[in-house]
Amino acid sequence: MERSTIRLTMAQALVRWLTAQWTEIDGQKVPLFGGVFAIFGHGNVTCLSEALESVQGQLPTWRGQNEQSMALAAIGYAKAKRRRQIMIATSSIGPGALNMVTAAGTAHANRLPVLLIAGDTFTNRLPDPVLQQVEHFNNPAVTANDAFKAVTRYWDRITHPAQIIPSLPQAVGAMLDPADCGPAFLALPQDTQEIAFDYPAEFFEERVWSIPRPRPDRKAVADAAALLKTAKKPLIIAGGGVRYSGAEGTVARFAADHGIPVVETIAGKGGLTHHHPVHAGPIGIIGSTSANALAAEADVILAIGTRLQDFTTGSWTAFARDARFISINAARFDALKHRSLAVVGDALEAVEELQSHLGAWKAPAGHLPRAKALFDEWDKLLDEHQTPTNAPIPTYAQVVNVVNRAAGEKDTLIAAAGGIPGEVAKGWRVKAPNSFDCEFGFSCMGYEIAAGWGCAMAQEGPGAVGGTPIVMLGDGTYMMMNSDIYSAALTGHRMIVVVCDNGGFAVINRLQQFKGVPGFNNLLADCRIKDPANPLHVDFAAHARAMGAHARHVESLADLEEAMKWAQGNDGPTVISIVSDAYAWVPGDADWDVGVPEVSDRDRVQAARRHQDEIRARQRVGV
C-alpha cells in the first residue's frame, strides 16, 4: 500500500502540526494553541517565521517587546483559560532564549502549560562559533538552551526533522497532564529548521485533545473517608488544582453537605466567592486570622489541589503536631508530602468518590457556624484597615478596597510580587469565581502587566470569564517590566493597571527591618543615590501615556474612585498611579521561616534570631 507523504521543512511541519491540534471547552471545539508570542532573531526568523506567516488566520502571531514578558503573557493566558488552551512563545538563540528562562520557572512552579520554542546553534557545527553561541570547552553539545532543563516539564532538541513526529505529542501530553503540567521547551537548531522531510500525511490529521481526569485508588478513598469521619474539627484547604479541575462547585457542595469550612491558598483564591456560606478566608502567611485560627485547631485537614508551599503552611507552623492530612492531588509528588494520606487523582473525581463514602456524616454541628463567626470577625478587621482616614497618604489596604469596589463582577484581579499579593490575598473580596490571579508560586516581579495582556486575550471565546483584567502592582515591579502596556496599546487589548508608588521595594524593606537589619538598598531613600532626602520619582502616568495608554496620576482615594470609573469606559490599556504608604500593612498572624544571622553585633538581629528559633521549635518536622 503506497504511503502518502507531504514534503515540508521541519519548521513548516511543526507549524502545520500545531494548527491541527484542537480541544473542547464547554462543548465547543477550539484550537488547542491560541496563538504565538514572537520576537524574531537570526535563530528563528528565516525558517520558523516563514512558516508562521503563512498560517496567520489559524495561528495568530503577536509581536512581543521582551522575551520574558511575552512568555509571561502566555502564562497569564493559560491561567485565565484554566489550563485548557495554550499559548506559544518563540525567541531566537542566546539572550533571547535565556530571557524566557524566568518565565519557564514561573510556569513550572505554578504548574502551568506554555510551549516555549527557541532557535539553537547548528547541528553540523561547521560555522561554529556562531553569533550568540556560548562555548563549553569540554562539551560542545551544550548550548544556552540547556538552561531550560531545570525549569521545564518537557525538554527536547530537534536535531533531525523526523524527531518532531514523536516529540510534539509528548510535549502536548506533558502540558495537558494534570499531574505533570508545566512548560514544554523545544530547541530548534538553525540548520535543522531548514531541512525538508517527507512527513506521513497522517501526522497532520486533526486531533481533539481532552484533559484527563485520573480517578483515585478505591482503597485510598475509603481510607480517607474513614479518617475524615474521626474528625471533630475538619478543615478543607482548596488550592489551585480545584480551579483547574473545575471542581469549585463540587468542593463547595461537599463542604456544605458535611459542615466543613473551606480556606483557600493563594492559587486557590477565587474558587469561591468571598461571602460563600462555607468560605472561611485565605490561609497562611498572607492569610486571614479566621483561616489561621481554624488551621491551628484542625485535627484532620483535607488538602485539595495544593502543593502546600510555605506561605500556605506558615513554614509548617500553622497546624497542630498531631493533625492528620489527607491530600487529594493529581500529582503523586504533591499528594505524598508530609506523610499525608495520599489520594492521587483529579480533584473533581476524587471529591465525588469521597462523597459517596461519607454518606450522611457531618462535622459536629457548631463547627461551621464557628468558622463563619471567625470569618465575620476577619471581615470587620478588613473594614477597619480599608476605611479611609484623614492620613495624607493612603495605605495599600485602602487602595485595594477602592479598586475592589469599582471592579465589575467578572473583572479579573492580577498581582504577583511585592506588597500587593499580601494585601489582595487578604483584602480582595472576590465577586465571581475564577476572577483572581495572584502569581505567588514563583512571586515573579514583572508578571503582572504581561499577564494582564495575556488575560485580556483569553477573555475572548468559550470558557472566558469575561470582564477586564485589573493589574495591581508597586512602583518597583513596574520599573522591572512595563513594556506590555505598549503591547496592549498596539493590539487594542483592554486592561486597567493601578500602580501603587511607595518609593521602592517596600515589602522587602519591611521584612529586612523586621529581622533586625536597618533599611538598606530597598526604599529609594535608603539607596546609594544622588539626593537621598529627595529621591527622583518616576511620573508613571506620563510614562504610560508615552507608550500609548490612557493614564492619570491621582492624589486621593476619592480621585482614585473617579479614575476607576473613567478607566472602565476606556479602550486599550489604562494606567492609574497613586502614592501609597510604605509602612502600613494589614497585619498577619502566621510565621515564616527565613534565614536570620546566627551571630551578629546588632541587638535587633539577635532578637530576631531568638524569634526565628522559636518559630522553628514549633515546626512540624516532616509530618
Side-chain angles (χ1 to χ4, degrees):
M1 184 175 179
E2 188 173 343
R3 183 167 63 97
S4 177
T5 62
I6 301 173
R7 189 165 181 80
L8 297 168
T9 68
M10 184 273 281
Q12 293 164 351
L14 165 66
V15 169
R16 183 163 179 168
W17 186 89
L18 292 172
T19 62
Q21 309 311 302
W22 297 79
T23 189
E24 283 192 5
I25 298 179
D26 299 338
Q28 186 172 339
K29 180 182 169 185
V30 296
L32 177 62
F33 294 99
V36 182
F37 293 107
I39 294 178
F40 294 124
H42 68 278
N44 63 348
V45 71
T46 55
C47 293
L48 186 59
S49 81
E50 186 268 347
L52 287 170
E53 191 277 335
S54 66
V55 297
Q56 294 178 72
Q58 302 160 271
L59 187 66
T61 297
W62 303 93
R63 179 187 180 278
Q65 316 306 322
N66 174 288
E67 291 88 356
Q68 178 181 327
S69 74
M70 71 182 188
L72 291 174
I75 296 169
Y77 178 95
K79 268 197 170 190
K81 290 292 189 180
R82 288 196 282 167
R83 305 198 304 200
R84 295 176 293 178
Q85 280 181 288
I86 302 168
M87 288 292 276
I88 303 161
T90 179
S91 76
S92 187
I93 65 175
L98 289 177
N99 278 348
M100 296 196 296
V101 172
T102 297
T106 303
H108 191 282
N110 287 280
R111 319 293 208 254
L112 291 167
V114 57
L115 179 58
L116 304 173
I117 301 174
D120 210 335
T121 55
F122 284 69
T123 55
N124 63 31
R125 301 183 188 167
L126 294 178
D128 284 8
V130 298
L131 180 66
Q132 298 182 340
Q133 180 176 356
V134 297
E135 294 183 275
H136 285 259
F137 302 155
N138 63 344
N139 189 346
V142 171
T143 77
N145 286 331
D146 288 82
F148 285 93
K149 290 180 178 178
V151 287
T152 51
R153 296 290 184 187
Y154 184 86
W155 187 99
D156 199 3
R157 176 176 283 121
I158 306 300
T159 58
H160 187 281
Q163 289 177 349
I164 64 171
I165 297 174
S167 186
L168 290 176
Q170 294 294 344
V172 170
M175 288 187 288
L176 293 183
D177 185 348
D180 206 33
C181 185
F185 175 81
L186 298 176
L188 306 184
Q190 296 173 76
D191 51 344
T192 307
Q193 292 181 49
E194 72 185 37
I195 298 174
F197 183 76
D198 294 320
Y199 289 94
E202 296 89 342
F203 180 57
F204 303 108
E205 290 178 353
E206 285 191 358
R207 176 171 180 176
V208 179
W209 294 81
S210 61
I211 298 175
R213 290 190 178 277
R215 288 181 168 83
D217 175 72
R218 292 174 181 171
K219 183 178 185 303
V221 174
D223 290 346
L227 177 56
L228 194 55
K229 286 179 179 179
T230 69
K232 299 296 185 290
K233 294 182 177 181
L235 182 67
I236 293 173
I237 301 177
V242 172
R243 295 173 62 185
Y244 297 134
S245 172
E248 306 95 314
T250 299
V251 170
R253 286 190 296 274
F254 177 91
D257 287 348
H258 302 293
I260 308 174
V262 177
V263 300
E264 294 175 317
T265 70
I266 301 167
K269 184 177 172 74
L272 299 176
T273 56
H274 184 76
H275 293 295
H276 192 284
V278 299
H279 180 229
I283 187 174
I285 293 168
I286 54 177
S288 61
T289 56
S290 53
N292 290 335
L294 292 167
E297 64 186 32
D299 51 359
V300 178
I301 297 104
L302 178 59
I304 309 174
T306 171
R307 61 194 184 114
L308 296 173
Q309 63 135 241
D310 65 341
F311 264 66
T312 298
T313 67
S315 299
W316 287 100
T317 64
F319 310 100
R321 287 182 181 271
D322 58 353
R324 293 291 307 276
F325 277 80
I326 301 166
S327 187
I328 294 175
N329 207 293
R332 171 188 52 79
F333 185 89
D334 290 323
L336 285 170
K337 287 175 180 173
H338 284 262
R339 297 183 69 239
S340 295
L341 195 167
V343 180
V344 181
D346 172 74
L348 189 149
E349 297 290 343
V351 171
E352 287 186 344
E353 291 196 28
L354 184 59
Q355 173 81 305
S356 68
H357 281 71
L358 288 176
W361 175 84
K362 298 191 77 162
H367 184 51
L368 185 56
R370 168 174 155 70
K372 292 307 294 182
L374 289 171
F375 183 65
D376 288 343
E377 291 176 12
W378 166 249
D379 231 18
K380 292 173 183 175
L381 179 63
L382 278 181
D383 287 339
E384 291 176 13
H385 284 278
Q386 293 182 338
T387 300
T389 65
N390 293 325
I393 300 177
T395 66
Y396 266 8
Q398 292 166 339
V399 172
V400 167
N401 183 48
V402 171
V403 176
N404 194 176
R405 285 191 289 107
E409 182 181 354
K410 294 186 177 181
D411 291 347
T412 297
L413 186 282
I414 298 173
I420 291 290
E423 298 300 311
V424 296
K426 294 172 183 175
W428 187 270
R429 293 171 166 98
V430 173
K431 301 175 182 179
N434 298 301
S435 60
F436 185 88
D437 170 9
C438 183
E439 189 291 296
F440 216 65
F442 214 51
S443 185
C444 181
M445 294 185 75
Y447 171 81
E448 298 92 332
I449 294 172
W453 186 36
C455 180
M457 292 182 177
Q459 304 298 25
E460 305 160 1
V465 173
T468 301
I470 298 177
V471 175
M472 292 196 70
L473 73 168
D475 53 305
T477 300
Y478 182 99
M479 293 301 292
M480 277 205 175
M481 194 166 294
N482 53 60
S483 57
D484 284 322
I485 293 172
Y486 177 59
S487 298
L490 280 175
T491 60
H493 285 100
R494 170 185 163 85
M495 63 176 165
I496 299 170
V497 178
V498 179
V499 184
C500 295
D501 182 0
N502 55 21
F505 302 137
V507 77
I508 209 66
N509 176 72
R510 175 194 185 194
L511 176 63
Q512 183 181 51
Q513 295 197 30
F514 183 62
K515 296 303 179 183
V517 182
F520 171 62
N521 204 50
N522 286 313
L523 295 182
L524 295 176
D526 298 328
C527 296
R528 190 180 295 275
I529 60 177
K530 181 179 179 180
D531 185 1
N534 186 31
L536 176 66
H537 284 266
V538 174
D539 186 336
F540 295 103
H543 183 265
R545 279 194 293 271
M547 291 192 287
H550 307 280
R552 279 186 188 177
H553 176 74
V554 298
E555 299 287 348
S556 68
L557 294 173
D559 290 345
L560 175 61
E561 187 172 1
E562 179 59 35
M564 285 297 297
K565 293 176 183 177
W566 164 74
Q568 293 282 14
N570 292 338
D571 292 327
T574 299
V575 175
I576 303 167
S577 66
I578 184 169
V579 173
S580 309
D581 195 307
Y583 298 97
W585 311 91
V586 176
D589 62 347
D591 290 314
W592 190 22
D593 190 359
V594 297
V596 178
E598 192 169 5
V599 296
S600 173
D601 293 333
R602 304 175 191 270
D603 292 341
R604 291 186 61 203
V605 172
Q606 293 171 15
R609 175 66 191 198
R610 289 192 295 272
H611 181 241
Q612 206 65 33
D613 290 339
E614 293 170 4
I615 291 172
R616 290 170 179 170
R618 296 196 304 273
Q619 281 180 318
R620 291 165 54 108
V621 180
V623 297

